[in-house]
Amino acid sequence: MFLNTRIWGFAFLRAWVYVMFVGLGASSLTLTETPLPAAAYQWSTLALCVTLFLGALAYKKMGAALFDARVRWLATILTTLGTLLGFVFTALKGPLWLVALFGGVATGVGSGLLSLGYGEIYRNRPPSEVDVEIPMAALIAGIVYAFSGMVPPLAGVALASLLPLVSGVIMTLQNHTWQPHNTVKASPLVRSSLGFLLRIGLCTCVVGFADGVVRLIFMAVAHVSANDFYHPGMLLSSIVMAALLVGFVLIWRRSTFRGFYKLITFTIAASIVLTPVFTAVPSWSSLLVLIGYNTFNVFIWVLLANITYSLRLPATFVFGLGWGFLTAGNTMGQIAGNLIVEAVEPSLLILSLVSGLAALAIFALFVFVLKDDDLVDIKKIPFTVEAEDETAASNAEAGISDTQAGTAPDGDEPQPGSFQWACLEMAREQGLTPRETEIMLLFARGRTSTYIQEELFISRGTVTTHLQHIYRKAGVHSKQELLDLIESKLPEA
């Protein structure tokens, strides 16, 4: 069911981000003529980034803290009160520095904890649910944001304050997630996983930066206010994003995550590079930019959720790192865009140059940093507790003990120091099943998936599934990393 409480809770959190941060820029949410100070946004973003990065650095402590209901309630209260009191202080003509400091820090810390909480929730959901639920939640968020612009200011302020409250209550009451016996145990971090996540972080940071710069310069060149830029572009772009991502998942069910990644890369690059073309029609350009913005944000959340589920990594580390880099990159991009606008006269030439460089940076990331081969069909990995239980049960039925699960399929003992011996040593250490060991031996010798399929009389999908199991257990993300791990078992010459 794709309209459950998880979707509504996450949708309201995203809607709060749209309403508050876009509202700050557009000055559309205020109880008086005085809008919330821009410094409130800056403090909130800084506090959000600090919270997310601390979640990544101290992921064990942060993960344990989120399982305490008091911490989840604290996150909800901080975000709600910070939002409400910011408007109240401004209406009462209070010191703006106090509004910015208290409201900004409270909402930043609170929303950061809420984001990490939803990361933990989606770490326990299979890709088949996540790939549809996250885009649907973003679509609902776009609808709520559009609605906020149609109501009187007082109703808009009430809505902005209620969104994090309802979202936090839903997150806190997701009892299935917050019961330790229902939660999939996280695997320890290894060097290859850390490197993989840092590459993702670099990509999110650069793309967020590129998007932020182009957005700011476009608004200056087209003389479009923030309010006109985001209304109705946010709603329309959310509809296009949901149709694009959900349609891709539902129509191409057999597609790999590589195909998904290519689609997203093309979408964000196209939205940026085509922006100057429609400058004469600002509504079209704003729609293009927001399609890229929405699509990439949703894709990153889906990617992080798939990674935590498939590789069983700590949610606080993965989401703290990935979402922290994206937030930091987007913020730095907007700051850079403002500096460029102040330093030079914004023109179509400047916008075209920046858009071209931004698109080149995105393609460079795709080619040199986070290649599609690195993703290894993440969304197809069925890593659930039930899947492990089925594997253990099948081994038991076959009379295979846990210690025998990594032995050679044919029972032959290879010569110590040989490549096959190194493969079997790695298989024993990583707890590979006999079938996984058999496939790994063929794969390590350079056999293709088609060859393995025909040799073992199994389907191509089964080969892919076993390879994903091997990659996950070994803590690697590419064939070269797998070979390096095997070779590390060989005695030095």
Side-chain angles (χ1 to χ4, degrees), residues 281-302:
V281 189
S283 59
W284 282 92
S285 280
S286 64
L287 177 60
L288 276 173
V289 174
L290 289 174
I291 287 174
Y293 167 81
N294 269 330
T295 303
F296 187 73
N297 275 262
V298 170
F299 168 73
I300 290 301
W301 193 275
V302 170

Side-chain angles (χ1 to χ4, degrees), residues 305-318:
N306 275 264
I307 289 173
T308 54
Y309 178 86
S310 302
L311 303 181
R312 294 186 176 179
L313 296 177
T316 48
F317 181 82
V318 175

Side-chain angles (χ1 to χ4, degrees), residues 18 50 53 210 215 221 289 339 363 378 402 415 454-455 485:
Y18 294 162
V50 170
F53 285 130
R215 251 189 296 160
V221 172
V289 174
L339 292 176
F363 280 119
I378 290 174
D402 292 338
Q415 290 295 322
E454 295 173 352
E455 179 74 12
L485 180 60

Side-chain angles (χ1 to χ4, degrees), residues 83-232:
T83 303
L84 183 60
L85 292 180
F87 290 113
V88 172
F89 285 164
T90 304
L92 296 176
K93 308 296 184 182
L96 293 185
W97 67 268
L98 185 62
V99 176
L101 182 61
F102 180 81
V105 172
T107 55
V109 173
S111 62
L113 292 173
L114 289 177
S115 296
L116 293 175
Y118 276 101
E120 182 64 42
I121 289 173
Y122 277 109
R123 186 181 79 88
N124 293 278
R125 309 312 307 173
S128 58
E129 295 180 11
V130 172
D131 292 350
V132 176
E133 287 190 12
I134 299 300
M136 291 300 296
L139 173 59
I140 295 172
I143 295 172
V144 173
Y145 172 72
F147 175 76
S148 71
M150 302 176 186
V151 299
L154 183 59
V157 170
L159 177 64
S161 302
L162 282 174
L163 286 173
L165 176 62
V166 177
S167 178
V169 169
I170 291 175
M171 181 200 74
T172 300
L173 298 180
Q174 288 287 309
N175 293 326
H176 183 80
T177 297
W178 308 116
Q179 298 297 324
H181 63 275
N182 289 330
T183 303
V184 178
K185 185 179 179 180
S187 300
L189 288 170
V190 294
R191 183 178 299 178
S192 58
S193 297
L194 179 60
F196 178 55
L197 291 170
L198 286 175
R199 294 205 304 274
I200 291 177
L202 175 61
C203 287
T204 59
C205 186
V206 172
V207 174
F209 181 88
D211 175 76
V213 169
V214 171
R215 251 189 296 160
L216 263 294
I217 296 179
F218 166 76
M219 285 191 282
V221 172
H223 303 290
V224 177
S225 67
N227 189 63
D228 292 335
F229 179 82
Y230 289 103
H231 290 283

Side-chain angles (χ1 to χ4, degrees), residues 265-426:
T265 305
F266 175 80
T267 300
I268 183 68
S271 69
I272 288 177
V273 80
L274 291 176
T275 298
V277 177
F278 297 100
T279 307
V281 189
S283 59
W284 282 92
S285 280
S286 64
L287 177 60
L288 276 173
V289 174
L290 289 174
I291 287 174
Y293 167 81
N294 269 330
T295 303
F296 187 73
N297 275 262
V298 170
F299 168 73
I300 290 301
W301 193 275
V302 170
L303 175 62
L304 297 178
N306 275 264
I307 289 173
T308 54
Y309 178 86
S310 302
L311 303 181
R312 294 186 176 179
L313 296 177
T316 48
F317 181 82
V318 175
F319 282 91
L321 199 65
W323 206 247
F325 272 118
L326 179 62
T327 303
N330 196 271
T331 303
M332 290 188 294
Q334 294 186 56
I335 294 173
N338 278 323
L339 292 176
I340 293 174
V341 169
E342 293 174 1
V344 298
E345 182 68 25
S347 64
L348 183 59
L349 178 61
I350 296 295
L351 177 61
S352 300
L353 177 62
V354 172
S355 298
L357 291 174
L360 282 176
I362 292 170
F363 280 119
L365 292 172
F366 176 74
V367 173
F368 300 110
V369 180
L370 187 65
K371 302 182 287 293
D372 58 338
D373 285 343
D374 293 330
L375 297 180
V376 197
D377 305 343
I378 290 174
K379 75 173 187 173
K380 285 193 170 184
I381 310 176
F383 292 147
T384 61
V385 175
E386 291 79 7
E388 282 195 346
D389 291 342
E390 290 173 4
T391 300
S394 63
N395 286 344
E397 291 176 2
I400 301 172
S401 66
D402 292 338
T403 57
Q404 292 172 322
T407 58
D410 56 5
D412 294 337
E413 287 296 330
Q415 290 295 322
S418 66
F419 183 76
Q420 184 181 8
W421 175 85
C423 288
L424 296 179
E425 282 296 302
M426 190 277 285

